[in-house]
Amino acid sequence: MVTPLLRKRFKPHPIAVGAMVMTTAAIVGAIVTPSATGEWLLAVPVSTAVAVAYGAVISLFTEEADGNEGGVLGVTASINALAFGLTSLAGGVISGGAVVGPIVVAAVMMAASTLLLLTLRKPRG
């Protein structure tokens, strides 16, 4: 519901960047929120931002597919599944040191991903 509304006004790149910045901010919010209630309240914006960012990044990938959209979507889905599996394993290992550890790592990785999207994207034209 959110992505189609955004697509009417913006191209995928600014949507992806904005959603990734919002995701990073919500993750940082989870780090500094002192209560479980606050963290539960952050679940809605972070979930929405992640869904919007994923859709926008998929749009960016398919724009570059040059007729191989199915292959791009298949590889993207495989990478996404691998990432979710590895995230679960890594989160368990990292949380052995500190409970907040996986959340801090998520914030750092999300910020790094946003910076990569901003700096490595070749301009279309």
Side-chain angles (χ1 to χ4, degrees):
M1 180 167 106
V2 175
T3 302
L5 292 173
L6 290 171
R7 283 301 305 251
K8 288 180 182 178
R9 299 193 69 178
F10 304 102
K11 294 185 181 219
H13 189 260
I15 294 171
V17 171
M20 291 171 75
V21 167
M22 288 177 60
T23 302
T24 305
I27 293 170
V28 171
I31 295 169
V32 299
T33 299
S35 70
T37 303
E39 290 188 15
W40 277 105
L41 291 173
L42 285 169
V44 172
V46 77
S47 299
T48 303
V50 166
V52 169
Y54 181 75
V57 169
I58 293 294
S59 293
L60 289 172
F61 287 161
T62 56
E63 282 180 359
E64 302 295 327
D66 293 329
N68 191 21
E69 287 82 2
V72 168
L73 291 174
V75 169
T76 303
S78 297
I79 291 170
N80 196 39
L82 177 66
F84 271 99
L86 291 177
T87 300
S88 299
L89 292 171
V93 171
I94 296 167
S95 67
V99 176
V100 75
I103 301 172
V104 171
V105 171
V108 169
M109 297 301 287
M110 197 70 216
S113 297
T114 304
L115 289 173
L116 285 172
L117 182 61
L118 282 169
T119 58
L120 296 180
R121 170 130 163 91
K122 66 178 179 183
R124 290 189 59 86

